[in-house]
Amino acid sequence: MITRIGHTLQLSSPANILSYAAVGGKKEAEGPLGAYFDAVFDDTTLGAPSFEKAESALQSQALRLALQKANLRAEALQMVLAGDLLNQCISSTFAMRDLGLPFLGLYGACSTMALSLGLACVLAACGAATPVAAITSSHFASAERQFRLPLEYGGQRPPTAQWTATAAGCVIITTQPKALQIPHVCFGSIVDLGVHDAANMGAAMAPAAAQTLSQYLRDTHTLPGDYDGIFTGDLGAVGSDLFTQLMHREGFPMPANHHDCGLLLFDRDKQDVHAGGSGCGCSASVLCSTILPAMRQGSLKNILFLATGALMSPTSSQQGESIPGIAHLVHIIRTPPDPPGA
Amino acid sequence: MITRIGHTLQLSSPANILSYAAVGGKKEAEGPLGAYFDAVFDDTTLGAPSFEKAESALQSQALRLALQKANLRAEALQMVLAGDLLNQCISSTFAMRDLGLPFLGLYGACSTMALSLGLACVLAACGAATPVAAITSSHFASAERQFRLPLEYGGQRPPTAQWTATAAGCVIITTQPKALQIPHVCFGSIVDLGVHDAANMGAAMAPAAAQTLSQYLRDTHTLPGDYDGIFTGDLGAVGSDLFTQLMHREGFPMPANHHDCGLLLFDRDKQDVHAGGSGCGCSASVLCSTILPAMRQGSLKNILFLATGALMSPTSSQQGESIPGIAHLVHIIRTPPDPPGA
């Protein structure tokens, strides 16, 4: 069952992580986390005839590998939750088309991994679906031509801009006891402080991240220092600085345990990604390649995953609108000692 | 709690309908259901500077009226679930931006009312959120220019084409006993039989509707005739015919209790909508203007709401892809006798 404490959902029969997988493209393979991915593709088309179909293939691969690591067939899943950045979420739809499984389509922009994972945990905890998969993806080339300019145009990027990750992540949730558990989920509210610059998403999303985290900390009577790591989604360099300032103002100065997936995925000195990585696949792939393996291994035991999204579209920006942000939070713990079969 | 029977979720502590509201545009006001809407707008811009912002205003109005009818302030809601057809779901985002409420963004194309309503019921039944609102919308002018052609072009429409409703619907779910209850929800799987014609969405969605309904009937050991009404979302004339044929083939011949929201919303003889209405707002507004009031009044007591979605995008169609369909089902009953305060 689920108990509500403020805005935070406490899962009294916790949802557990059965399996996970991360896949990425060439640039992600060359980054500091490249070696930790389950699969990387030097040809970022994955042999598909379009970038959109390549992104679908990333989702299919992430799901396939997560299933394989759990020794599970796709038919064993009781539900699939997925979303992405493309118009009408076609990467997810076409990746899940042939599965024949109950499918919930989600849209949370770059917050989608926390949205889908959090909702999967709620659905597992309440008996609606187990095992259940949460998947999301992004692709640099499909995102650039949809949100910004065709690659061929060679548009210049300001220093605040972030680089959309070509990556996907998949987590499979079960009610069976496992080493990694999710005791809390906190779905965030939309926050819009009036940032209009679509090349500065970090600034637009930072206030939402600060609000969701503050809300969760107040709900659970905990402090940032109580966690081994607080991983924001893709605030990048600019957004991370603002997030730290806002958390200080909320009365929660952030210790050194704050990391941003957008800053972890790429080497900003060598990889020309300006303010860092972004995209649904950024936080999803860092979670599944690096954070969850570190938890399983025991070097992290108690973390918050706080993916952030900028809920604008090119149309809303062209019509003069500011950029609404949102952030969803998932609390993940490692239970000692390991239950059997974990 | 929730029990899973096949793919169907049985809500053992049922979710109840606290309130609902439907709003529509000029053409919807002139249709057979016009008199039943809570508010209609002769000026379909609603005074907003763009069609996209007008669509956001439709969602805001639907929520405002549903709250007003329940004598509830927005702050009382514990969660809001919304989605729409626009790229990056901006009608929902901008409508919900200033609420400060936990927000789950969904994408199910025209199936979104059943997706959001079904998920709201699950979240209420398991203790995650009550009251919780499910909202969706569509707008003829924003959909035409995004999915098809600018209105000024005056493109010709084939007879299979449907007319996107300018409308929104909102349902507020509570765990408190009320006359209208939701005992079952069945989330559908994607079905794609290879229909490529984006001007014939009914044909693309009919197989998904037939699959979800057949699945639900088998799971619950019921027959179509056991219900007062089975309301598909927006199959239109072409899709409804195909749906009936497919149900016959599945071993469930459909009695005269099948109605399609796309055929109910407009008068096809007088309103030039070709195969009928469509859009997230079509089934949402027919549900909230007509079906739920008829249930509250007692003329309907046991219905299935089966909204259908076509999960394509202009990009996927341009890249030669067929149109994946999906349908989600919500079972709504009227409990006799009325509990106090219903």
Side-chain angles (χ1 to χ4, degrees), chain A residues 8 20 52 75 95 182 287 298:
Chain A
T8 299
Y20 46 81
E52 291 75 16
E75 306 86 89
I182 285 105
L287 177 71

Side-chain angles (χ1 to χ4, degrees), chain B residues 328-340:
Chain B
H328 302 295
L329 180 150
V330 180
H331 177 206
I332 312 176
I333 57 170
R334 184 180 202 279
T335 54
D338 285 2

Side-chain angles (χ1 to χ4, degrees), chain B residues 21 31 39 70 103 106-107 122 192 197 300 304:
Chain B
F103 171 74
L106 303 173
Y107 186 75
V122 168
D192 186 339
D197 182 358
L300 288 172
L304 301 177

Side-chain angles (χ1 to χ4, degrees), chain A residues 15 50 88 193 220 245 295 337:
Chain A
S50 73
Q88 289 73 55
L193 296 191
T220 53
Q245 289 176 42
M295 295 193 76

Side-chain angles (χ1 to χ4, degrees), chain A residues 36-339:
Chain A
Y36 307 126
F37 278 69
D38 293 279
V40 289
F41 300 93
D42 267 2
D43 171 6
T44 51
T45 72
L46 280 79
S50 73
F51 295 131
E52 291 75 16
K53 294 185 185 190
E55 189 181 330
S56 268
L58 285 174
Q59 282 205 22
S60 300
Q61 290 291 343
L63 174 61
R64 186 184 66 77
L65 289 163
L67 286 166
Q68 186 180 304
K69 286 162 80 174
N71 199 17
L72 213 63
R73 290 181 313 153
E75 306 86 89
L77 294 174
Q78 291 195 329
M79 217 177 272
V80 175
L81 282 64
D84 60 87
L85 292 172
L86 295 186
N87 297 345
Q88 289 73 55
C89 301
I90 50 169
S91 344
S92 307
T93 303
F94 285 92
M96 304 305 140
R97 174 166 57 169
D98 299 322
L99 285 178
L101 296 172
F103 171 74
L104 304 193
L106 302 174
Y107 186 75
C110 303
S111 75
T112 304
M113 192 67 224
L115 174 60
S116 61
L117 178 58
L119 199 51
C121 293
V122 169
L123 292 171
C126 75
T130 177
V132 48
I135 313 167
T136 185
S137 65
S138 54
H139 194 297
F140 174 75
S142 63
E144 281 302 302
R145 72 174 174 189
Q146 178 187 276
F147 285 103
R148 284 165 286 266
L149 296 161
L151 294 184
E152 294 80 354
Y153 181 81
Q156 294 297 303
R157 303 158 56 82
T160 53
Q162 294 174 239
W163 187 279
T164 306
T166 298
C170 171
V171 180
I172 300 177
I173 296 295
T174 177
T175 50
Q176 292 169 10
K178 294 288 165 192
L180 306 189
Q181 301 188 342
I182 285 105
H184 296 104
V185 172
C186 186
F187 294 116
S189 312
I190 300 174
V191 183
D192 186 339
L193 296 191
V195 173
H196 280 74
D197 182 359
N200 190 357
M201 302 280 199
M205 299 188 292
Q211 180 177 293
T212 300
L213 179 56
S214 307
Q215 174 79 46
Y216 167 81
L217 294 171
R218 282 192 206 101
D219 289 346
T220 53
H221 302 289
T222 58
L223 293 170
D226 294 338
Y227 300 90
D228 295 342
I230 296 175
F231 295 88
T232 49
D234 51 354
L235 297 176
V238 179
S240 290
D241 278 354
L242 291 169
F243 169 70
T244 308
Q245 289 176 42
L246 289 165
M247 286 305 294
H248 196 274
R249 201 183 294 175
E250 291 275 354
F252 295 112
M254 293 297 290
N257 64 355
H258 169 233
H259 308 280
D260 184 69
C261 297
L263 295 175
L264 294 170
L265 183 60
F266 297 116
D267 182 333
R268 290 174 66 219
D269 292 334
K270 296 181 191 160
Q271 292 192 289
D272 193 30
V273 295
H274 296 252
S278 69
C280 301
C282 175
S283 62
S285 67
V286 174
L287 177 71
C288 296
S289 69
T290 307
I291 303 172
L292 295 179
M295 295 193 76
R296 181 158 287 184
Q297 191 206 4
S299 53
L300 288 173
K301 290 187 173 161
N302 184 20
I303 70 117
L304 300 177
F305 177 65
L306 178 61
T308 49
L311 299 170
M312 33 61 72
S313 80
T315 303
S316 67
S317 292
Q318 283 157 9
Q319 294 183 0
E321 276 294 354
S322 53
I323 301 173
I326 197 161
H328 302 295
L329 179 150
V330 180
H331 177 205
I332 311 176
I333 57 170
R334 185 179 201 279
T335 54
D338 285 2

